[in-house]
Amino acid sequence: MALADFDFVLFGGSGDLSMRKLLPALYARDKHEHLPDNARIICIGRHHWSKQEFLTAVDQNAKPHVTNVDDAIWQRFCGRIQYISLDATNPATYRPLIDALRAGSELVRVFYLATPPDLFARICHNLAEVELVNANSRVVLEKPLGRDLASAKQINAEVGTVFTESQIYRIDHYLGKEAVQNLLALRFGNVLFEPLWRREWISDVQITIAEELGVGNRIEYYDNSGALRDMLQNHLLQLLCIVAMEPPTDITPDAVRDEKLKVLHALKRFDAVTLAQNVVRGQYRAGHVDGNAVPGYRQEGAPSDSRTETFVAVKAEIDTWRWAGVPFFLRTGKRMADQLAEIVVRFKSIPHSIFAQPTSSFLPNCLVIRLQPDEGLQLNLMAKTPGDRMRLKPVELELDFREQFKIPRMEAYERLLLDVLRGQLTLFMRSDELEAAWEWVEPILNYWEQEQTEPVSYAAGSWGPAAASALIGRDGLQWREEALPEL
Ligand code: BG6
């Protein structure tokens, strides 16, 4: 579908996210001829830069994040960019933006707020005050969307006085990943899994997002946030929703979001006792990643007594007929042993072995949906080994999406930015979803704050604290990497 002409206004235009992700994503879509001829990108920042100075910064900071730059197309892309210096908190400084925006009822106007969340409401009010918001305007809100339920509600309420819900795009870039959308395809485009996708056949679900990197130069943000707010409240819970939701009637935004919301509402609430049993928080100490010595979190610029968690593991349960009693283990951490994001759906063991092999030697079937590094699906089965004996061994069926579909990939932000420009909301969070997610994690945050306990430490380059293995071990289970057979 060809895009309508647009003005894309990027608040936080000189910031890290714009340079690393947003401008490269827009360039990539330009290269694939998705952007209309006259589409423009208006970057807003506080630096008093000329357009040329800003473009030099884009060359230095955004271009290195583009793969296969085509210089002619890069020049064309830069030709779309304008730079405006203004104080986003002060509407009296908005004149250059008012002058820059084009009028026209067909023209889509996107305001992308790649700024700290405490500016969201101010900027929206200011845009309304200077009369820049019209029926064709959309606002995109980057995470973190608040730091607790109250602040999220306040952002929703205030932004909601300026934009209608159908104009608000709350971004969670995990929903833009190919493999996540493939999970929708797998679940609702095939009959094979649906009858098995329930408590009778599934033993447990594990969702892991592990990063080898530490917090790098984001310490100021991260130390105020931590893994629960940074990753679990949004990315991990969104993945859980897609795994656990009932089939929506269609792929329209509200049909999908209604089903995700029901999952969030059905998550079993924690109290002080269940919380201590089902949540592990950790912080990395010095260790080795890929054979290189790396410092601990507190040596990377965090306060020496910081209690911020860089790892969190949670056993969640969903109180519905489909899922009652099936544990969903969620885990994420920085400086872990590997860089991967995957969803593991483990089926129950066979009830009885007819072979001369004990039931315990049968590895339960397991479906692995790999989000990164290489998007794919893996199904673990048991098969007979060749020869005259009836001896069964685990084997893997692999589907590598890159091999299967040899067409250029879209980064998550490319896909989501196109959706914003097309006015397609299915992969964005609705206000009630966001609040329901905060509602569920908030007791954990409060408990940590009241208890004033320290996170348990784990060595950088490991799979997290031993307490995370104990958490899953209590159900007689193991994390996937612990359960892999030695081949
Ligand atoms: C971001 C978090 O939302 O997701 C980062 O703020 C994290 O801390 C990043 O590193 C991970 O995203 P991806 O796509 O690289 O797995």
Side-chain angles (χ1 to χ4, degrees), residues 17 20-21 142-144 172-174 177 209-211 213-215 218 221-222 225-226 229-231 234-235 332 334 339-341 371-372 411-413:
L17 183 76
R20 274 191 312 113
K21 297 283 186 190
E142 252 303 330
K143 66 172 270 279
D172 183 314
H173 78 278
Y174 263 71
K177 293 192 190 259
I209 305 179
E211 297 181 90
L213 291 175
V215 288
R218 293 167 76 223
Y221 152 75
Y222 196 87
S225 169
R229 287 189 174 96
D230 187 48
M231 299 292 286
N234 33 71
H235 306 325
T332 184
K334 300 238 180 243
Q339 181 83 19
L340 67 85
L371 278 62
Q372 51 202 37
E411 284 294 318
Y413 272 104

Side-chain angles (χ1 to χ4, degrees), residues 193-409:
F193 293 104
E194 182 53 23
L196 305 177
W197 210 256
R198 56 194 65 246
R199 63 192 301 277
E200 286 80 1
W201 299 106
I202 290 182
S203 134
D204 62 295
V205 177
Q206 302 177 16
I207 307 180
T208 298
I209 305 179
E211 297 181 90
E212 284 186 346
L213 291 175
V215 288
N217 57 8
R218 293 167 76 223
I219 192 79
E220 208 177 312
Y221 152 75
Y222 196 87
D223 201 55
N224 270 312
S225 169
L228 189 77
R229 287 189 174 96
D230 187 48
M231 299 292 286
L232 192 134
Q233 185 273 342
N234 33 71
H235 306 325
L236 283 161
L237 284 185
Q238 285 294 318
L239 297 181
L240 174 141
C241 285
I242 305 245
V243 174
M245 72 183 183
E246 294 298 320
T249 47
D250 53 43
I251 194 84
T252 53
D254 282 340
V256 172
R257 300 187 300 180
D258 285 347
E259 295 306 334
K260 289 199 293 168
L261 181 65
K262 285 185 206 159
V263 175
L264 292 167
H265 281 156
L267 280 169
K268 190 180 272 190
R269 290 343 196 207
F270 290 120
D271 59 30
V273 176
T274 55
L275 219 147
Q277 291 164 346
N278 293 305
V279 182
V280 173
R281 73 171 167 153
Q283 189 188 74
Y284 61 84
R285 57 175 188 274
H288 288 82
V289 173
D290 280 341
N292 300 316
V294 292
Y297 178 68
R298 293 180 185 181
Q299 289 94 53
E300 278 195 320
S304 58
D305 57 352
S306 169
R307 283 206 293 263
T308 300
E309 78 287 356
T310 59
F311 173 96
V312 64
V314 175
K315 175 185 167 184
E317 286 181 81
I318 303 170
D319 284 336
T320 58
W321 272 50
R322 190 189 279 265
W323 294 118
V326 178
F328 281 72
F329 294 100
L330 312 179
R331 134 183 102 147
T332 184
K334 300 238 180 243
R335 284 280 190 239
M336 295 192 50
D338 207 351
Q339 181 83 19
L340 67 85
E342 64 181 24
I343 300 168
V344 179
V345 180
R346 200 153 36 176
F347 293 87
K348 293 201 166 164
S349 303
I350 55 162
H352 162 70
S353 166
I354 65 165
F355 307 103
Q357 257 177 265
T359 316
S360 58
S361 67
F362 287 75
L363 213 65
N365 299 132
C366 188
L367 176 69
V368 182
I369 300 119
R370 215 174 31 244
L371 278 62
Q372 51 202 37
D374 308 308
E375 304 142 17
L377 283 180
Q378 195 187 78
L379 184 61
N380 297 86
L381 304 168
M382 294 296 289
K384 179 186 169 300
T385 51
D388 67 343
R389 287 177 59 223
M390 196 64 189
R391 188 88 204 141
L392 278 71
K393 275 199 147 185
V395 291
E396 291 166 359
L397 285 181
E398 271 276 348
L399 172 60
D400 181 327
F401 292 131
R402 281 174 201 262
E403 279 296 308
Q404 184 68 32
F405 302 106
K406 292 195 170 64
I407 47 176
R409 329 299 297 169

Side-chain angles (χ1 to χ4, degrees), residues 119-130:
L119 291 182
F120 291 169
R122 290 275 284 284
I123 295 177
C124 291
H125 287 310
N126 292 345
L127 290 170
E129 192 179 320
V130 298

Side-chain angles (χ1 to χ4, degrees), residues 410-421:
M410 267 198 218
E411 284 294 318
Y413 272 104
E414 293 176 42
R415 165 68 204 257
L416 294 174
L417 286 173
L418 281 186
D419 279 357
V420 172
L421 293 164

Side-chain angles (χ1 to χ4, degrees), residues 9 13 58 71 75 90 109-110 136 198 261 318 341 358 380 410 456 461 474:
V9 182
V58 172
D71 276 319
Q75 287 316 318
N90 179 4
R109 217 176 246 184
V110 175
N136 250 349
R198 56 194 65 246
L261 181 65
I318 303 170
N380 297 86
M410 267 198 218
V456 276
R474 273 204 302 278

